[in-house]
Amino acid sequence: RKGWIYRANRIINWCPHHETALSDLELVHEEVDDALTHVRYPFADDPEDGVTIATARPATILADVAVAVGPGDERWSAAVGREVVVPFVERVVPVIEDERVDPEFGTGALKVTPGHDPLDFEIGRDHGLPELTVIGPDGRMNEEAGELSGLTQDEAEERILAWIRERGLLVEREAYRHTIALCER
């Protein structure tokens, strides 16, 4: 009654193997070789043009609810206020501006997935975006992933990339080294 306790969605560290929450102290950070995938999200009103994002996690494309660009970024200023179509799920989402977008990363356009990334979660909250989650507690794609439900993230990524290639939306894949957090157990 005093407002000290409340219930709300939050982004936490989660171990799908142990199916438990982890504190920051229970994480080990390791560098991994990966791929950075550049994908064109077509404009809803002009499918031949669009915004190109870069992601290391194509399986989370299914939960995208917006594309964000930095305020005043000349590359994408004409896209702000328009809508793009999220590949595979073909959901129409807005292109928004947010100062937290890193213009130096990838293409300077960020796919916003509030249910799967802490920065995206903050952006989503500030812009009133839905919080879709397509990866379940066991690390597999959940019911929200539709026909990909039950697949591993790698299996889902393969299918999503095949769909994107077939439609000419794959711009490029490049080698990418980055740090990921793993369960210390």
Side-chain angles (χ1 to χ4, degrees), residues 7 40 68 94 98 105 111 119 126 174 177:
R7 192 173 181 172
R40 183 172 59 83
D98 193 278
F105 177 76
K111 63 186 226 51
L119 175 63
D126 290 348
E174 62 179 301
R177 187 161 181 83

Side-chain angles (χ1 to χ4, degrees), residues 126 140 142:
D126 290 348
R140 291 181 169 272
N142 67 19

Side-chain angles (χ1 to χ4, degrees), residues 14-17 19 134-142 150-153:
W14 182 260
C15 175
H17 176 74
E19 293 198 21
V134 295
I135 300 171
D138 61 356
R140 291 181 169 272
M141 305 304 286
N142 67 19
L151 297 181
T152 66
Q153 292 176 60

Side-chain angles (χ1 to χ4, degrees), residues 31-104:
E31 281 200 8
V32 296
D33 290 317
D34 209 340
L36 192 61
T37 305
H38 296 248
V39 181
R40 183 172 59 83
Y41 284 39
F43 287 123
D45 61 358
D46 181 7
E48 299 305 314
D49 196 9
V51 176
T52 300
I53 61 91
T55 183
R57 297 183 66 195
T60 63
I61 285 173
L62 305 180
D64 290 352
V65 295
V67 170
V69 299
D73 188 331
E74 293 297 320
R75 296 171 292 182
W76 306 116
S77 60
V80 175
R82 293 179 71 184
E83 294 179 320
V84 293
V85 180
V86 177
F88 199 85
V89 292
E90 299 185 307
R91 176 185 310 111
V92 175
V93 300
V95 178
I96 60 175
E97 284 184 317
D98 193 278
E99 65 279 348
R100 290 165 284 201
V101 175
D102 179 359
E104 303 301 316

